[in-house]
Amino acid sequence: RQQNITTSSKFIPTMAKTLHRRPEDDTEATNLTVDKPSRTIEAAKQLFCGGMAGSVAKTVTAPLARLTILFQVHSLVTTKKYAPQYADGVLDGAKKIMQRGGFFSFWKGNGTSVLHRFPFSAINFYVYENTLDFLSRTDGNSKEDANPIKRFIAGAFAGSIACVACYPLDLVRTRLTTELPGKEHYRGIFDTFKKITATEGVGGLYTGIGPTLFVAVPNFAISYTVYGTLKEYVLDDDLFYNLRKIDDESGEKSMSLILTLLCGAASGSASAFVTFPFDTIRRRMQIQTLHLSPEECLSGTQQFVNIIKTEGVKGLYRGIQPELLKVVPFVGSMFVTYEFLKDQLNVS
């Protein structure tokens, strides 16, 4: 009898625990099972949103991007030393491209550009979101409450990782974009890779990586910081109440198309002014081996000094007009696409 009582006393609490099992217990167990796959799916969604956002923005602004590059490198490739500028203005430059290659030549090299931009933007947005989330959790806050310093650090880190990972495609794109009609040296993306590695070695695929990092790191650091700070401001300030969107069920505030475009344009313009001279130098370094002998090729510092000596400070900013014209549609379409896809795919 004593043994039966003991056995019963052990059985009753176990039975009671089973009968009074909370729904939360099942939820916790389920979460443990699906947590890993759900995080993988969430990561894939983030990468897809970022990649598509960059690809759409690149395609929309490809004509202005090609104009910018042609202005930047013209004084290096031209045989007419008395005409260091590609054209007298944006419209003249556009007419020149049309006359030489037709309407679709505005998108020359855009296939490579999209191949580069999809992984670049995917990595960039993914690393930024997760780095910002990590930095915010260190002091117990959410990334929506992150201060500008954390946004700056996350943006710089994301830009540098994406830049190094995808740089060879950027180099190939620049070389294809700057080829003159009738004087093509390459026959497409794979031929470009093959010829660069054959003549310059694998290291040739990273020609100009130094100045590129000088562009990418501050560019994305400034862009994300300005955009994130402005977004936080316009969602909180009553001045922009009529321009905000509010979810009827949750009451959550989000930015309208106009606010996204304005914040994107402001962030893009700020980063362009700061980093454009470095961008000019990197473009020249990417193509100089095609037009100069090895003895004439210059380092980044030498390029900078040479431009100042021969063209003045304005030489560093050749092509800034189409670049600034590109800022609003590029950054605007990129952030609009990114926010739209995040909303459609329920990316947290």
Side-chain angles (χ1 to χ4, degrees), residues 128 147-156 218-232 267 335:
Y128 173 76
N147 58 42
I149 294 174
K150 288 178 182 175
R151 295 184 192 279
F152 188 91
I153 294 170
N219 186 10
F220 285 104
I222 294 168
S223 186
Y224 279 126
T225 302
V226 174
Y227 181 81
T229 304
L230 287 177
K231 180 180 178 180
E232 184 181 356
S267 67
F335 280 114

PDB file of all heavy atoms in Angstrom, residues 128 147-156 218-232 267 335:
ATOM      1  N   TYR A 128      23.399  45.684 -43.771  1.00  0.00           N
ATOM      2  CA  TYR A 128      23.007  46.906 -43.049  1.00  0.00           C
ATOM      3  C   TYR A 128      21.921  46.610 -42.008  1.00  0.00           C
ATOM      4  O   TYR A 128      22.043  46.989 -40.845  1.00  0.00           O
ATOM      5  CB  TYR A 128      22.506  47.962 -44.031  1.00  0.00           C
ATOM      6  CG  TYR A 128      21.931  49.178 -43.348  1.00  0.00           C
ATOM      7  CD1 TYR A 128      22.755  50.128 -42.759  1.00  0.00           C
ATOM      8  CD2 TYR A 128      20.547  49.363 -43.255  1.00  0.00           C
ATOM      9  CE1 TYR A 128      22.230  51.239 -42.103  1.00  0.00           C
ATOM     10  CE2 TYR A 128      20.011  50.463 -42.609  1.00  0.00           C
ATOM     11  CZ  TYR A 128      20.860  51.398 -42.030  1.00  0.00           C
ATOM     12  OH  TYR A 128      20.326  52.484 -41.384  1.00  0.00           O
ATOM     13  N   ASN A 147      20.462  55.488 -33.215  1.00  0.00           N
ATOM     14  CA  ASN A 147      20.915  56.864 -33.417  1.00  0.00           C
ATOM     15  C   ASN A 147      21.742  56.971 -34.705  1.00  0.00           C
ATOM     16  O   ASN A 147      22.154  55.951 -35.286  1.00  0.00           O
ATOM     17  CB  ASN A 147      21.718  57.358 -32.204  1.00  0.00           C
ATOM     18  CG  ASN A 147      22.933  56.478 -31.927  1.00  0.00           C
ATOM     19  OD1 ASN A 147      23.636  56.056 -32.845  1.00  0.00           O
ATOM     20  ND2 ASN A 147      23.180  56.199 -30.656  1.00  0.00           N
ATOM     21  N   PRO A 148      22.020  58.190 -35.186  1.00  0.00           N
ATOM     22  CA  PRO A 148      22.766  58.375 -36.442  1.00  0.00           C
ATOM     23  C   PRO A 148      24.139  57.718 -36.459  1.00  0.00           C
ATOM     24  O   PRO A 148      24.587  57.260 -37.504  1.00  0.00           O
ATOM     25  CB  PRO A 148      22.884  59.903 -36.546  1.00  0.00           C
ATOM     26  CG  PRO A 148      21.699  60.424 -35.813  1.00  0.00           C
ATOM     27  CD  PRO A 148      21.496  59.471 -34.674  1.00  0.00           C
ATOM     28  N   ILE A 149      24.811  57.650 -35.299  1.00  0.00           N
ATOM     29  CA  ILE A 149      26.149  57.042 -35.261  1.00  0.00           C
ATOM     30  C   ILE A 149      26.067  55.553 -35.606  1.00  0.00           C
ATOM     31  O   ILE A 149      26.876  55.032 -36.383  1.00  0.00           O
ATOM     32  CB  ILE A 149      26.796  57.231 -33.869  1.00  0.00           C
ATOM     33  CG1 ILE A 149      27.057  58.719 -33.614  1.00  0.00           C
ATOM     34  CG2 ILE A 149      28.093  56.443 -33.764  1.00  0.00           C
ATOM     35  CD1 ILE A 149      27.564  59.037 -32.236  1.00  0.00           C
ATOM     36  N   LYS A 150      25.081  54.867 -35.048  1.00  0.00           N
ATOM     37  CA  LYS A 150      24.915  53.444 -35.342  1.00  0.00           C
ATOM     38  C   LYS A 150      24.529  53.226 -36.806  1.00  0.00           C
ATOM     39  O   LYS A 150      24.980  52.274 -37.447  1.00  0.00           O
ATOM     40  CB  LYS A 150      23.863  52.833 -34.417  1.00  0.00           C
ATOM     41  CG  LYS A 150      24.350  52.696 -32.982  1.00  0.00           C
ATOM     42  CD  LYS A 150      23.278  52.130 -32.090  1.00  0.00           C
ATOM     43  CE  LYS A 150      23.778  52.044 -30.649  1.00  0.00           C
ATOM     44  NZ  LYS A 150      22.717  51.597 -29.740  1.00  0.00           N
ATOM     45  N   ARG A 151      23.691  54.111 -37.339  1.00  0.00           N
ATOM     46  CA  ARG A 151      23.318  54.015 -38.753  1.00  0.00           C
ATOM     47  C   ARG A 151      24.549  54.216 -39.631  1.00  0.00           C
ATOM     48  O   ARG A 151      24.723  53.546 -40.648  1.00  0.00           O
ATOM     49  CB  ARG A 151      22.251  55.053 -39.102  1.00  0.00           C
ATOM     50  CG  ARG A 151      20.920  54.849 -38.408  1.00  0.00           C
ATOM     51  CD  ARG A 151      19.886  55.863 -38.884  1.00  0.00           C
ATOM     52  NE  ARG A 151      18.706  55.857 -38.031  1.00  0.00           N
ATOM     53  CZ  ARG A 151      17.719  54.972 -38.127  1.00  0.00           C
ATOM     54  NH1 ARG A 151      17.778  54.029 -39.043  1.00  0.00           N
ATOM     55  NH2 ARG A 151      16.675  55.024 -37.317  1.00  0.00           N
ATOM     56  N   PHE A 152      25.404  55.153 -39.240  1.00  0.00           N
ATOM     57  CA  PHE A 152      26.626  55.447 -40.008  1.00  0.00           C
ATOM     58  C   PHE A 152      27.552  54.228 -40.024  1.00  0.00           C
ATOM     59  O   PHE A 152      28.071  53.836 -41.075  1.00  0.00           O
ATOM     60  CB  PHE A 152      27.337  56.661 -39.392  1.00  0.00           C
ATOM     61  CG  PHE A 152      28.498  57.156 -40.203  1.00  0.00           C
ATOM     62  CD1 PHE A 152      28.316  58.136 -41.173  1.00  0.00           C
ATOM     63  CD2 PHE A 152      29.783  56.650 -40.003  1.00  0.00           C
ATOM     64  CE1 PHE A 152      29.380  58.600 -41.936  1.00  0.00           C
ATOM     65  CE2 PHE A 152      30.858  57.105 -40.757  1.00  0.00           C
ATOM     66  CZ  PHE A 152      30.655  58.083 -41.719  1.00  0.00           C
ATOM     67  N   ILE A 153      27.762  53.626 -38.835  1.00  0.00           N
ATOM     68  CA  ILE A 153      28.645  52.450 -38.730  1.00  0.00           C
ATOM     69  C   ILE A 153      28.084  51.286 -39.549  1.00  0.00           C
ATOM     70  O   ILE A 153      28.811  50.618 -40.294  1.00  0.00           O
ATOM     71  CB  ILE A 153      28.821  52.040 -37.259  1.00  0.00           C
ATOM     72  CG1 ILE A 153      29.581  53.128 -36.486  1.00  0.00           C
ATOM     73  CG2 ILE A 153      29.559  50.709 -37.151  1.00  0.00           C
ATOM     74  CD1 ILE A 153      29.596  52.924 -34.980  1.00  0.00           C
ATOM     75  N   ALA A 154      26.776  51.044 -39.420  1.00  0.00           N
ATOM     76  CA  ALA A 154      26.142  49.941 -40.151  1.00  0.00           C
ATOM     77  C   ALA A 154      26.231  50.162 -41.658  1.00  0.00           C
ATOM     78  O   ALA A 154      26.513  49.237 -42.426  1.00  0.00           O
ATOM     79  CB  ALA A 154      24.684  49.793 -39.719  1.00  0.00           C
ATOM     80  N   GLY A 155      26.001  51.406 -42.096  1.00  0.00           N
ATOM     81  CA  GLY A 155      26.077  51.730 -43.521  1.00  0.00           C
ATOM     82  C   GLY A 155      27.480  51.569 -44.074  1.00  0.00           C
ATOM     83  O   GLY A 155      27.675  51.046 -45.176  1.00  0.00           O
ATOM     84  N   ALA A 156      28.490  52.017 -43.327  1.00  0.00           N
ATOM     85  CA  ALA A 156      29.886  51.897 -43.764  1.00  0.00           C
ATOM     86  C   ALA A 156      30.296  50.434 -43.866  1.00  0.00           C
ATOM     87  O   ALA A 156      30.945  50.028 -44.844  1.00  0.00           O
ATOM     88  CB  ALA A 156      30.793  52.632 -42.782  1.00  0.00           C
ATOM     89  N   PRO A 218      32.010  55.799 -47.304  1.00  0.00           N
ATOM     90  CA  PRO A 218      31.303  57.010 -46.895  1.00  0.00           C
ATOM     91  C   PRO A 218      29.975  57.200 -47.620  1.00  0.00           C
ATOM     92  O   PRO A 218      29.030  57.762 -47.065  1.00  0.00           O
ATOM     93  CB  PRO A 218      32.281  58.144 -47.241  1.00  0.00           C
ATOM     94  CG  PRO A 218      33.190  57.573 -48.263  1.00  0.00           C
ATOM     95  CD  PRO A 218      33.287  56.110 -47.967  1.00  0.00           C
ATOM     96  N   ASN A 219      29.904  56.711 -48.876  1.00  0.00           N
ATOM     97  CA  ASN A 219      28.680  56.885 -49.650  1.00  0.00           C
ATOM     98  C   ASN A 219      27.492  56.241 -48.951  1.00  0.00           C
ATOM     99  O   ASN A 219      26.470  56.884 -48.699  1.00  0.00           O
ATOM    100  CB  ASN A 219      28.874  56.283 -51.055  1.00  0.00           C
ATOM    101  CG  ASN A 219      27.696  56.546 -51.968  1.00  0.00           C
ATOM    102  OD1 ASN A 219      26.800  57.311 -51.657  1.00  0.00           O
ATOM    103  ND2 ASN A 219      27.688  55.898 -53.101  1.00  0.00           N
ATOM    104  N   PHE A 220      27.624  54.959 -48.625  1.00  0.00           N
ATOM    105  CA  PHE A 220      26.510  54.264 -47.989  1.00  0.00           C
ATOM    106  C   PHE A 220      26.352  54.669 -46.530  1.00  0.00           C
ATOM    107  O   PHE A 220      25.235  54.687 -46.007  1.00  0.00           O
ATOM    108  CB  PHE A 220      26.698  52.757 -48.123  1.00  0.00           C
ATOM    109  CG  PHE A 220      26.416  52.259 -49.506  1.00  0.00           C
ATOM    110  CD1 PHE A 220      27.443  51.927 -50.367  1.00  0.00           C
ATOM    111  CD2 PHE A 220      25.118  52.167 -49.964  1.00  0.00           C
ATOM    112  CE1 PHE A 220      27.182  51.487 -51.656  1.00  0.00           C
ATOM    113  CE2 PHE A 220      24.834  51.728 -51.252  1.00  0.00           C
ATOM    114  CZ  PHE A 220      25.872  51.390 -52.103  1.00  0.00           C
ATOM    115  N   ALA A 221      27.449  54.998 -45.874  1.00  0.00           N
ATOM    116  CA  ALA A 221      27.351  55.463 -44.491  1.00  0.00           C
ATOM    117  C   ALA A 221      26.520  56.741 -44.419  1.00  0.00           C
ATOM    118  O   ALA A 221      25.596  56.870 -43.607  1.00  0.00           O
ATOM    119  CB  ALA A 221      28.746  55.707 -43.924  1.00  0.00           C
ATOM    120  N   ILE A 222      26.840  57.697 -45.297  1.00  0.00           N
ATOM    121  CA  ILE A 222      26.111  58.965 -45.316  1.00  0.00           C
ATOM    122  C   ILE A 222      24.678  58.750 -45.781  1.00  0.00           C
ATOM    123  O   ILE A 222      23.720  59.280 -45.193  1.00  0.00           O
ATOM    124  CB  ILE A 222      26.822  59.988 -46.241  1.00  0.00           C
ATOM    125  CG1 ILE A 222      28.184  60.362 -45.653  1.00  0.00           C
ATOM    126  CG2 ILE A 222      25.973  61.237 -46.438  1.00  0.00           C
ATOM    127  CD1 ILE A 222      29.076  61.133 -46.611  1.00  0.00           C
ATOM    128  N   SER A 223      24.510  57.955 -46.847  1.00  0.00           N
ATOM    129  CA  SER A 223      23.180  57.737 -47.420  1.00  0.00           C
ATOM    130  C   SER A 223      22.222  57.097 -46.417  1.00  0.00           C
ATOM    131  O   SER A 223      21.103  57.578 -46.209  1.00  0.00           O
ATOM    132  CB  SER A 223      23.304  56.853 -48.666  1.00  0.00           C
ATOM    133  OG  SER A 223      22.065  56.735 -49.314  1.00  0.00           O
ATOM    134  N   TYR A 224      22.651  56.019 -45.769  1.00  0.00           N
ATOM    135  CA  TYR A 224      21.793  55.346 -44.791  1.00  0.00           C
ATOM    136  C   TYR A 224      21.533  56.227 -43.573  1.00  0.00           C
ATOM    137  O   TYR A 224      20.430  56.237 -43.020  1.00  0.00           O
ATOM    138  CB  TYR A 224      22.435  54.040 -44.332  1.00  0.00           C
ATOM    139  CG  TYR A 224      22.235  52.883 -45.282  1.00  0.00           C
ATOM    140  CD1 TYR A 224      23.327  52.166 -45.769  1.00  0.00           C
ATOM    141  CD2 TYR A 224      20.966  52.490 -45.671  1.00  0.00           C
ATOM    142  CE1 TYR A 224      23.156  51.090 -46.627  1.00  0.00           C
ATOM    143  CE2 TYR A 224      20.787  51.416 -46.522  1.00  0.00           C
ATOM    144  CZ  TYR A 224      21.882  50.717 -47.003  1.00  0.00           C
ATOM    145  OH  TYR A 224      21.706  49.654 -47.842  1.00  0.00           O
ATOM    146  N   THR A 225      22.558  56.961 -43.148  1.00  0.00           N
ATOM    147  CA  THR A 225      22.401  57.818 -41.963  1.00  0.00           C
ATOM    148  C   THR A 225      21.381  58.920 -42.223  1.00  0.00           C
ATOM    149  O   THR A 225      20.464  59.145 -41.415  1.00  0.00           O
ATOM    150  CB  THR A 225      23.749  58.458 -41.578  1.00  0.00           C
ATOM    151  OG1 THR A 225      24.707  57.422 -41.327  1.00  0.00           O
ATOM    152  CG2 THR A 225      23.600  59.313 -40.324  1.00  0.00           C
ATOM    153  N   VAL A 226      21.538  59.606 -43.353  1.00  0.00           N
ATOM    154  CA  VAL A 226      20.617  60.702 -43.691  1.00  0.00           C
ATOM    155  C   VAL A 226      19.214  60.160 -43.911  1.00  0.00           C
ATOM    156  O   VAL A 226      18.237  60.710 -43.390  1.00  0.00           O
ATOM    157  CB  VAL A 226      21.116  61.463 -44.940  1.00  0.00           C
ATOM    158  CG1 VAL A 226      20.084  62.506 -45.385  1.00  0.00           C
ATOM    159  CG2 VAL A 226      22.452  62.142 -44.655  1.00  0.00           C
ATOM    160  N   TYR A 227      19.107  59.072 -44.669  1.00  0.00           N
ATOM    161  CA  TYR A 227      17.784  58.515 -44.958  1.00  0.00           C
ATOM    162  C   TYR A 227      17.088  58.040 -43.677  1.00  0.00           C
ATOM    163  O   TYR A 227      15.924  58.357 -43.438  1.00  0.00           O
ATOM    164  CB  TYR A 227      17.902  57.351 -45.940  1.00  0.00           C
ATOM    165  CG  TYR A 227      16.570  56.739 -46.307  1.00  0.00           C
ATOM    166  CD1 TYR A 227      15.756  57.320 -47.274  1.00  0.00           C
ATOM    167  CD2 TYR A 227      16.115  55.577 -45.674  1.00  0.00           C
ATOM    168  CE1 TYR A 227      14.527  56.768 -47.610  1.00  0.00           C
ATOM    169  CE2 TYR A 227      14.891  55.014 -45.998  1.00  0.00           C
ATOM    170  CZ  TYR A 227      14.106  55.608 -46.970  1.00  0.00           C
ATOM    171  OH  TYR A 227      12.888  55.063 -47.285  1.00  0.00           O
ATOM    172  N   GLY A 228      17.799  57.275 -42.861  1.00  0.00           N
ATOM    173  CA  GLY A 228      17.209  56.756 -41.635  1.00  0.00           C
ATOM    174  C   GLY A 228      16.813  57.845 -40.657  1.00  0.00           C
ATOM    175  O   GLY A 228      15.756  57.790 -40.033  1.00  0.00           O
ATOM    176  N   THR A 229      17.672  58.869 -40.537  1.00  0.00           N
ATOM    177  CA  THR A 229      17.383  59.978 -39.619  1.00  0.00           C
ATOM    178  C   THR A 229      16.189  60.790 -40.096  1.00  0.00           C
ATOM    179  O   THR A 229      15.301  61.154 -39.304  1.00  0.00           O
ATOM    180  CB  THR A 229      18.619  60.896 -39.483  1.00  0.00           C
ATOM    181  OG1 THR A 229      19.743  60.107 -39.060  1.00  0.00           O
ATOM    182  CG2 THR A 229      18.372  61.994 -38.464  1.00  0.00           C
ATOM    183  N   LEU A 230      16.145  61.069 -41.400  1.00  0.00           N
ATOM    184  CA  LEU A 230      15.006  61.821 -41.959  1.00  0.00           C
ATOM    185  C   LEU A 230      13.715  61.018 -41.850  1.00  0.00           C
ATOM    186  O   LEU A 230      12.650  61.568 -41.550  1.00  0.00           O
ATOM    187  CB  LEU A 230      15.278  62.169 -43.421  1.00  0.00           C
ATOM    188  CG  LEU A 230      16.308  63.269 -43.687  1.00  0.00           C
ATOM    189  CD1 LEU A 230      16.530  63.454 -45.184  1.00  0.00           C
ATOM    190  CD2 LEU A 230      15.869  64.594 -43.068  1.00  0.00           C
ATOM    191  N   LYS A 231      13.809  59.703 -42.083  1.00  0.00           N
ATOM    192  CA  LYS A 231      12.628  58.848 -41.978  1.00  0.00           C
ATOM    193  C   LYS A 231      12.058  58.890 -40.560  1.00  0.00           C
ATOM    194  O   LYS A 231      10.838  59.013 -40.361  1.00  0.00           O
ATOM    195  CB  LYS A 231      13.000  57.408 -42.356  1.00  0.00           C
ATOM    196  CG  LYS A 231      11.839  56.429 -42.271  1.00  0.00           C
ATOM    197  CD  LYS A 231      12.288  55.029 -42.653  1.00  0.00           C
ATOM    198  CE  LYS A 231      11.136  54.035 -42.516  1.00  0.00           C
ATOM    199  NZ  LYS A 231      11.537  52.648 -42.871  1.00  0.00           N
ATOM    200  N   GLU A 232      12.942  58.781 -39.582  1.00  0.00           N
ATOM    201  CA  GLU A 232      12.511  58.836 -38.178  1.00  0.00           C
ATOM    202  C   GLU A 232      11.853  60.182 -37.867  1.00  0.00           C
ATOM    203  O   GLU A 232      10.837  60.245 -37.171  1.00  0.00           O
ATOM    204  CB  GLU A 232      13.733  58.621 -37.280  1.00  0.00           C
ATOM    205  CG  GLU A 232      13.413  58.563 -35.803  1.00  0.00           C
ATOM    206  CD  GLU A 232      14.654  58.376 -34.954  1.00  0.00           C
ATOM    207  OE1 GLU A 232      15.759  58.220 -35.517  1.00  0.00           O
ATOM    208  OE2 GLU A 232      14.524  58.405 -33.713  1.00  0.00           O
ATOM    209  N   SER A 267      19.311  62.052 -49.141  1.00  0.00           N
ATOM    210  CA  SER A 267      20.427  61.185 -48.742  1.00  0.00           C
ATOM    211  C   SER A 267      21.379  60.958 -49.911  1.00  0.00           C
ATOM    212  O   SER A 267      22.598  60.975 -49.752  1.00  0.00           O
ATOM    213  CB  SER A 267      19.902  59.847 -48.223  1.00  0.00           C
ATOM    214  OG  SER A 267      19.288  59.106 -49.260  1.00  0.00           O
ATOM    215  N   PHE A 335      14.666  52.947 -52.848  1.00  0.00           N
ATOM    216  CA  PHE A 335      14.015  52.844 -51.541  1.00  0.00           C
ATOM    217  C   PHE A 335      12.520  52.549 -51.676  1.00  0.00           C
ATOM    218  O   PHE A 335      11.956  51.823 -50.852  1.00  0.00           O
ATOM    219  CB  PHE A 335      14.235  54.122 -50.722  1.00  0.00           C
ATOM    220  CG  PHE A 335      15.584  54.173 -50.067  1.00  0.00           C
ATOM    221  CD1 PHE A 335      16.527  55.127 -50.443  1.00  0.00           C
ATOM    222  CD2 PHE A 335      15.942  53.278 -49.085  1.00  0.00           C
ATOM    223  CE1 PHE A 335      17.774  55.179 -49.847  1.00  0.00           C
ATOM    224  CE2 PHE A 335      17.194  53.311 -48.480  1.00  0.00           C
ATOM    225  CZ  PHE A 335      18.112  54.264 -48.866  1.00  0.00           C
TER     226      PHE A 335
END
